[in-house]
Amino acid sequence: MNPDLIAKIAQISSVLEVSGYPKPGNVHRTRDFHDMVFEDFIISGIVIGDTIREAASFGSEINNSISFKEANIGKYILKAVKETDKWIANNTNLGIIMLLTPIAISAAISNTIDELRENIHNIIVNSTVIDTIALYEAIGIADAGGMGDQKEFSVTSDDAIKELIENNLNIFDVLNISSSWDSLAKELTNKMPVTFDIGYPIFSKLNKEYSTNLATITTFLTILSEVPDTLISRKYGDEKALEVSNLAREVLDSMDIDEDLNTFNKKIKDFDDYLFENKLNPGTTADLTASSIMVSLLSDYY
């Protein structure tokens, strides 16, 4: 697939995700947070385009040898984070970059959705310790908590880089450590099950039949209802994350697209207000929504 097209789809996916209204608990077109606003996310989605294009272009060049170790995924994640940091003061898109970069590289060398999924996994599994060092630097720049909270190979450790090199740990290795308690890490080490099995099918179906906004927020709610958000878990515990997932399911159960959306619209607005007022931010779910949209838009070209 053409790298220019892949980059545009990545940018569109990022922008559509944040534009979903009202996407409960997150920044959206009528909801700002005190430390980050809607425009921050729009800018973030746009400025990663050149790096995504470069990553896809490089990926297409190694297609003949299929040398996944040469994909340089860490380099491009770091470059996209640095570019975002030039424009935005906060971490708006580290998770999205970590998900969309391997999708973009894979899209450049895949001819079907099944190949896309398999090659994403190949890129992660065959990454190198150099990629991991770049990823750690990207996490440091974004000042993101999460993956580095464990004692072993902690991002915040003074000896982190030395430990990575000594143990020759690639991106798969370090994410696998976090996969039991971090949805994004689990996604990237297990062939992206949420993206491909939950988010992509629902977005593709609804986007063809209804509005893109409805497809976006329903994809978000569906993912949230089935996969408790680990950002909420880390801040408030697993029980609270499960409670939020159950509330998302209740909202979805009130949805009647073909008859009357009024009840659904009211419930989703109330849900958004509740999460915002209680500082419950399903940020990982938002990242997975963006990757789901990207795979769906890519599938139109296979």
Side-chain angles (χ1 to χ4, degrees), residues 59-118:
S60 64
E61 291 175 4
I62 66 168
N63 186 24
N64 290 333
S65 62
I66 308 296
S67 179
F68 293 105
K69 289 185 181 298
E70 299 173 7
N72 286 335
I73 181 174
K75 167 187 172 181
Y76 294 114
I77 290 173
L78 175 58
K79 190 169 184 178
V81 167
K82 284 183 174 179
E83 184 61 32
T84 303
D85 191 56
K86 293 176 184 177
W87 296 85
I88 304 298
N90 300 298
N91 168 29
T92 51
N93 64 353
L94 173 65
I96 287 176
I97 289 170
M98 288 176 64
L99 291 167
L100 268 52
T101 303
I103 294 175
I105 297 172
S106 178
I109 60 176
S110 304
N111 296 310
T112 67
I113 284 293
D114 288 340
E115 283 185 16
L116 176 69
R117 187 174 190 176
E118 194 63 34

Side-chain angles (χ1 to χ4, degrees), residues 96-145:
I96 287 176
I97 289 170
M98 288 176 64
L99 291 167
L100 268 52
T101 303
I103 294 175
I105 297 172
S106 178
I109 60 176
S110 304
N111 296 310
T112 67
I113 284 293
D114 288 340
E115 283 185 16
L116 176 69
R117 187 174 190 176
E118 194 63 34
N119 284 332
I120 291 168
H121 190 63
N122 287 332
I123 289 164
I124 300 294
V125 168
N126 290 288
S127 59
T128 69
V129 67
I130 300 301
D131 293 313
T132 315
I133 292 170
L135 174 62
Y136 270 44
E137 184 178 348
I139 293 170
I141 292 170
D143 193 22

Side-chain angles (χ1 to χ4, degrees), residues 15-300:
V15 170
L16 286 182
E17 182 280 314
V18 72
S19 298
Y21 159 77
K23 197 171 73 280
N26 289 289
V27 171
H28 53 70
R29 68 180 85 164
T30 64
R31 172 84 76 190
D32 293 334
F33 288 177
H34 76 278
D35 58 344
M36 57 184 71
V37 298
F38 175 67
E39 290 80 7
D40 291 339
F41 289 86
I42 295 294
I43 292 168
S44 299
I46 293 170
V47 300
I48 65 172
D50 288 343
T51 303
I52 293 293
R53 183 182 301 107
E54 184 180 342
S57 297
F58 187 79
S60 64
E61 291 175 4
I62 66 168
N63 186 24
N64 290 333
S65 62
I66 308 296
S67 179
F68 293 105
K69 289 185 181 298
E70 299 173 7
N72 286 335
I73 181 174
K75 167 187 172 181
Y76 294 114
I77 290 173
L78 175 58
K79 190 169 184 178
V81 167
K82 284 183 174 179
E83 184 61 32
T84 303
D85 191 56
K86 293 176 184 177
W87 296 85
I88 304 298
N90 300 298
N91 168 29
T92 51
N93 64 353
L94 173 65
I96 287 176
I97 289 170
M98 288 176 64
L99 291 167
L100 268 52
T101 303
I103 294 175
I105 297 172
S106 178
I109 60 176
S110 304
N111 296 310
T112 67
I113 284 293
D114 288 340
E115 283 185 16
L116 176 69
R117 187 174 190 176
E118 194 63 34
N119 284 332
I120 291 168
H121 190 63
N122 287 332
I123 289 164
I124 300 294
V125 168
N126 290 288
S127 59
T128 69
V129 67
I130 300 301
D131 293 313
T132 315
I133 292 170
L135 174 62
Y136 270 44
E137 184 178 348
I139 293 170
I141 292 170
D143 193 22
M147 195 193 83
D149 288 347
Q150 75 281 352
K151 292 181 181 179
E152 189 177 19
F153 311 119
S154 170
V155 174
T156 59
S157 168
D158 293 336
D159 296 323
I161 303 305
K162 178 183 176 182
E163 291 172 356
L164 291 177
I165 294 172
E166 287 179 350
N167 291 277
N168 195 32
L169 297 176
N170 67 11
I171 288 178
F172 179 87
D173 296 327
V174 296
L175 291 181
N176 199 40
I177 295 170
S178 307
S179 62
S180 63
W181 50 269
D182 182 88
S183 293
L184 192 146
K186 184 176 181 179
E187 187 78 353
L188 287 169
T189 53
N190 288 274
K191 299 187 178 182
M192 303 189 77
V194 177
T195 297
F196 281 88
D197 298 333
I198 301 175
Y200 149 55
I202 190 70
F203 184 86
S204 291
K205 181 179 185 298
L206 292 181
N207 197 40
K208 288 179 174 63
E209 300 175 7
Y210 303 97
S211 71
T212 298
N213 185 64
L214 183 61
T216 300
I217 59 174
T218 304
T219 299
F220 175 87
L221 283 171
T222 302
I223 293 172
L224 182 58
S225 71
E226 297 187 29
V227 184
D229 192 277
T230 47
L231 182 59
I232 294 177
S233 292
R234 289 198 293 276
K235 290 182 177 179
Y236 302 103
D238 293 343
E239 187 174 337
K240 178 60 69 173
L242 182 58
E243 175 191 315
V244 171
S245 289
N246 290 335
L247 290 172
R249 173 50 56 190
E250 289 180 15
V251 174
L252 279 174
D253 288 344
S254 71
M255 183 178 185
D256 193 338
I257 299 177
D258 297 316
E259 294 296 331
D260 183 8
L261 281 175
N262 289 336
T263 299
F264 172 71
N265 288 334
K266 183 180 186 308
K267 285 202 171 187
I268 196 171
K269 178 64 168 61
D270 290 344
F271 187 33
D272 183 31
D273 290 341
Y274 168 77
L275 294 182
F276 177 74
E277 290 164 5
N278 289 278
K279 296 180 169 46
L280 297 167
N281 170 219
T284 306
T285 306
D287 297 338
L288 293 167
T289 300
S291 62
S292 298
I293 294 172
M294 183 170 182
V295 169
S296 177
L297 297 181
L298 287 171
S299 72
D300 292 337

